[in-house]
Amino acid sequence: MTFGVYKQIADDLRERISTGQLAPGDDVPTEGELAQQWNTSRGPIRNALAELRREGLIETTRGRPSRVVKRKAHQAVDVSIPFTKWAREMGAEPGAVTQQVSLRRADDDQAGMLGIEPGDIVVEVIRLRLLDGRPTMLERLMFIEEVGRVLFDIDLDTVSITEYLAERGHPYSEVDHEIDAVAADDLDSRLLEVEPGSPILRLRRVTRRADGRVFEASDDRYRSDIVRFTVSASGRAISGEHFIRPVGE
């Protein structure tokens, strides 16, 4: 009976949150109020609230009632899904505001990531990505010249770069991801609308084509209050290599 009551309470609160009856920032009814409403003890109430906290729907701060929070979008990092497709699959409208598309000469670090010589020409793209009009991710993309030059032929605010490159004969075959957290620099702060130095999530990506040649290296920075990364994996690749490795290895 207790199990059934706790599930009913959790389902009721979940429904009220999903329909907007309880909006982000609103206080959830107190344990006492819920116990009176459901004519039950506080045990099932606490179990229901704990379940909603695990789902990221509410948060509890010492000394005040639980509060509804904005639910974060989940970005799987064990697979590679273009931002545009990912947004649409979860029912959000993707957007893009291109800041820069330029030719430049690769420095030592960029050359190392792309497998080219320092001083070779690369194409750099800086683009702000939006979810339902909200600044969500800042892309810093670097392409080898032969691939990147086709990006000058299209309005990058209107396309998925990954899908467009595939249409132009440059599909990806393999993608390596690396995740960490960094402090927002001035550009991040201005475009993502966060405080300078605030923590943001960074996803660095190296993209290869079928012959193993690297053609793209990226540094994507996500607002941590909007997106969380998820991994569905055993923690060990088929080859035996660990997905989780110590820094500096």
Side-chain angles (χ1 to χ4, degrees):
M1 180 67 177
T2 300
F3 176 80
V5 171
Y6 125 69
K7 292 298 292 182
Q8 290 176 43
I9 296 167
D11 289 344
D12 177 68
L13 291 173
R14 196 180 290 111
E15 175 70 15
R16 291 162 69 180
I17 291 170
S18 67
T19 59
Q21 295 178 52
L22 286 172
D26 287 351
D27 288 342
V28 176
T30 66
E31 289 183 8
E33 290 169 339
L34 289 170
Q36 184 175 16
Q37 175 187 341
W38 288 90
N39 191 28
T40 187
S41 66
R42 296 200 178 196
I45 304 298
R46 289 169 182 161
N47 289 337
L49 295 176
E51 182 167 304
L52 297 184
R53 279 195 297 273
R54 286 193 296 270
E55 295 173 8
L57 293 175
I58 65 173
E59 64 182 3
T60 302
T61 304
R62 191 185 186 96
R64 63 160 297 160
S66 297
R67 181 175 58 182
V68 179
V69 297
K70 292 181 179 177
R71 192 161 194 180
K72 296 183 179 182
H74 288 247
Q75 167 74 298
V77 294
D78 52 325
V79 294
S80 185
I81 303 174
F83 184 96
T84 298
K85 181 179 179 181
W86 166 70
R88 288 175 175 158
E89 284 183 349
M90 65 179 185
E93 181 61 33
V97 183
T98 303
Q99 308 296 313
Q100 175 183 319
V101 186
S102 62
L103 292 171
R104 59 177 296 175
R105 295 195 179 275
D107 61 26
D108 290 345
D109 289 341
Q110 294 161 349
M113 287 188 292
L114 291 171
I116 59 178
E117 294 296 322
D120 283 356
I121 297 293
V122 295
V123 175
E124 182 179 35
V125 176
I126 299 177
R127 190 170 64 155
L128 178 65
R129 302 311 308 271
L130 313 172
L131 280 181
D132 292 332
R134 189 180 186 191
T136 298
M137 186 260 281
L138 182 61
E139 296 175 318
R140 292 170 168 88
L141 309 172
M142 192 74 59
F143 300 90
I144 61 174
E145 183 181 9
E146 65 185 272
V147 173
R149 277 193 177 274
V150 304
L151 300 178
F152 290 97
D153 301 335
I154 192 74
D155 179 0
L156 297 182
D157 288 0
T158 65
V159 299
S160 161
I161 289 179
T162 301
E163 294 173 355
Y164 177 70
L165 289 178
E167 292 171 1
R168 295 294 298 268
H170 304 292
Y172 71 81
S173 178
E174 182 180 343
V175 182
D176 293 334
H177 292 148
E178 181 178 308
I179 311 165
D180 62 2
V182 296
D185 62 21
D186 290 342
L187 185 63
D188 299 326
S189 173
R190 177 169 60 86
L191 295 177
L192 291 175
E193 300 178 4
V194 297
E195 290 296 322
S198 59
I200 54 178
L201 299 171
R202 178 171 65 175
L203 178 64
R204 288 188 284 188
R205 185 176 70 247
V206 173
T207 306
R208 297 180 177 85
R209 55 196 185 192
D211 63 3
R213 173 79 186 279
V214 174
F215 68 84
E216 175 196 9
S218 71
D219 180 315
D220 300 337
R221 303 188 179 200
Y222 293 80
R223 281 183 52 162
S224 58
D225 60 330
I226 299 177
V227 174
R228 66 175 58 175
F229 293 142
T230 62
V231 177
S232 178
S234 64
R236 182 180 291 271
I238 294 175
S239 63
E241 297 175 356
H242 286 285
F243 288 118
I244 302 173
R245 294 185 290 271
V247 174
E249 182 176 291

